[in-house]
Amino acid sequence: MSNSSRTPRSILITGGAGFIGSNFVHHWCESYPDDRVVVLDALTYAGNRATLADLEEKPKFRFVDGDICDRDLVETLLREESIDTVAHFAAESHVDRSILGPDAFVQTNVIGTFVLLEAFRQYYPALTEAGKSGLFLHVSTDEVYGSLEPDDPAFSETTSYEPNSPYSASKASSDHFARAYFHTYGLPTIITNCSNNYGPYHFPEKLVPLMCINMLLGKPLPVYGDGLNVRDWLFVRDHCTALDTVIHLGKPGETYNIGGNNEVANIDLVKMLCGLMDELAPNLPTRPSESLITYVKDRAGHDRRYAIDATKIETELGWKPSVTVEEGLRQTVEWYLANEAWWKPLLSAEYQAYYDTVYQ
Ligand code: NAD
Ligand code: TYD
């Protein structure tokens, strides 16, 4: 997005200390240095303020350690910072944790989104009276559409919702609220449904970082079931450019699917990561890395296949991913090799307890 003729925004980014949120915060601060950027994040196990350390001294940047369910706090921030754009990433995001304990998913993903929408609805008239336009971008997932058979067409924006996990059910619910606030109150909301992201600053519990870190530690690489579940993979920085495009060019009330056009079976993705690790870290003790692959008990209710049809955002808004999955995974493995100081402290006793429960 060109920076030349644009009016600076005041943007509230929820969940900005998490994986995608922090990549988005970096993208936004690099692209639009004149914008006010306010991050609201409760710093759960998945939030890491250190990821934003290089931004903390910048006068246009503010970090607020707080919960999106705290209505007073959200209302104060909207007013105090004259927010015109909300980019809502904050969520409980891991399917396996939603199976172990769905409560937090309902609280943050459903109630938290409702609180944000309601606060924005109350605040919005003051924004328009001041002659400004506003936007509430609700960042969501392709998992709300359910599971595809091998020959089914990819998910489009009109595919019906069939969420199968507590995580996807909570995200589906929050999507419905974002949609309803446009239709009922005319609040300018946009929903994006994106496929699986990978890249820097990804918490160790998810497939790609888990495999990278376990290879570096010489630990087994746990593949669920037969390893033939298929996901569409998108480099996180490409997701950020897509969201940037949607904020600037998207139409309120619309939904945009975002994907990488990179459908890969889990076992093939893990083998690609193994090949990259063998090439980029030739001195690791376990060789080849593929020898660490271990098939483990399948996830309950494991969706078989996700695939995204991203034609709408490509043709209507002109966005396309910039890297192939091969190139993006290479950059990701290089990043985990170079940034042990970021991921090692995350392997806490709490994380180990979670790991033991899931992979016992
Ligand atoms: P993440 O788990 O890495 O980060 C979530 C962030 O939200 C953390 O910083 C956490 O501290 C914060 N948070 C959690 N509860 C909060 C609360 N109550 N109040 C304030 N902050 C809170 O998640 P992610 O992978 O970066 O995903 C971000 C968003 O993108 C989510 O809404 C997710 O559903 C969606 N999404 C993720 C993917 C993916 O592949 N990871 C794909 C598509 C969509
Ligand atoms: P994940 O990164 O948890 O994303 P999601 O479930 O939201 O798609 O998992 C991606 C795929 O990898 C999914 O099919 C489950 C599988 N998987 C494993 O096989 N082993 C693992 O240890 C993990 C975490 C995931």
Side-chain angles (χ1 to χ4, degrees), residues 137-299:
L137 172 67
H138 177 63
V139 180
S140 192
T141 167
D142 60 357
E143 304 195 23
V144 297
Y145 296 120
S147 184
L148 293 169
E149 296 297 327
D151 295 327
D152 284 346
F155 302 130
S156 77
E157 287 79 359
T158 54
T159 302
S160 61
Y161 274 32
E162 289 180 6
N164 291 321
S165 72
Y167 164 64
S168 54
S170 66
K171 290 297 293 187
S173 172
S174 63
D175 292 11
H176 291 327
F177 274 102
R179 176 190 161 89
Y181 270 62
F182 172 78
H183 285 276
T184 306
Y185 302 115
L187 204 70
T189 64
I190 296 182
I191 302 165
T192 54
N193 295 94
C194 187
S195 60
N196 284 60
N197 285 214
Y198 64 92
Y201 304 118
H202 207 175
F203 191 80
E205 68 193 356
K206 302 281 172 64
L207 180 72
V208 170
L210 187 141
M211 295 297 159
C212 292
I213 290 169
N214 282 14
M215 279 186 264
L216 291 169
L217 300 176
K219 289 174 61 177
L221 308 179
V223 174
Y224 294 160
D226 62 6
L228 296 179
N229 300 68
V230 171
R231 297 290 183 265
D232 172 76
W233 293 94
L234 180 69
F235 191 52
V236 63
R237 281 292 183 134
D238 278 332
H239 188 187
C240 294
T241 62
L243 297 176
D244 180 329
T245 305
V246 168
I247 287 173
H248 285 97
L249 302 177
K251 198 167 151 229
E254 294 289 316
T255 285
Y256 297 93
N257 278 359
I258 303 170
N261 215 5
N262 282 310
E263 276 187 66
V264 188
N266 290 341
I267 187 63
D268 295 331
L269 190 91
V270 173
K271 286 181 177 171
M272 284 166 77
L273 289 168
C274 289
L276 285 164
M277 194 59 89
D278 288 353
E279 178 196 331
L280 296 168
N283 297 325
L284 285 177
T286 313
R287 280 290 168 272
S289 296
E290 276 192 25
S291 64
L292 291 167
I293 292 175
T294 310
Y295 288 91
V296 300
K297 186 168 172 281
D298 208 352
R299 170 188 280 173

Side-chain angles (χ1 to χ4, degrees), residues 13-36:
I13 302 176
T14 72
F19 165 47
I20 305 174
S22 64
N23 277 282
F24 182 78
V25 171
H26 280 114
H27 164 87
W28 202 267
C29 290
E30 283 157 23
S31 306
Y32 310 111
D34 293 333
D35 282 14
R36 176 70 166 159

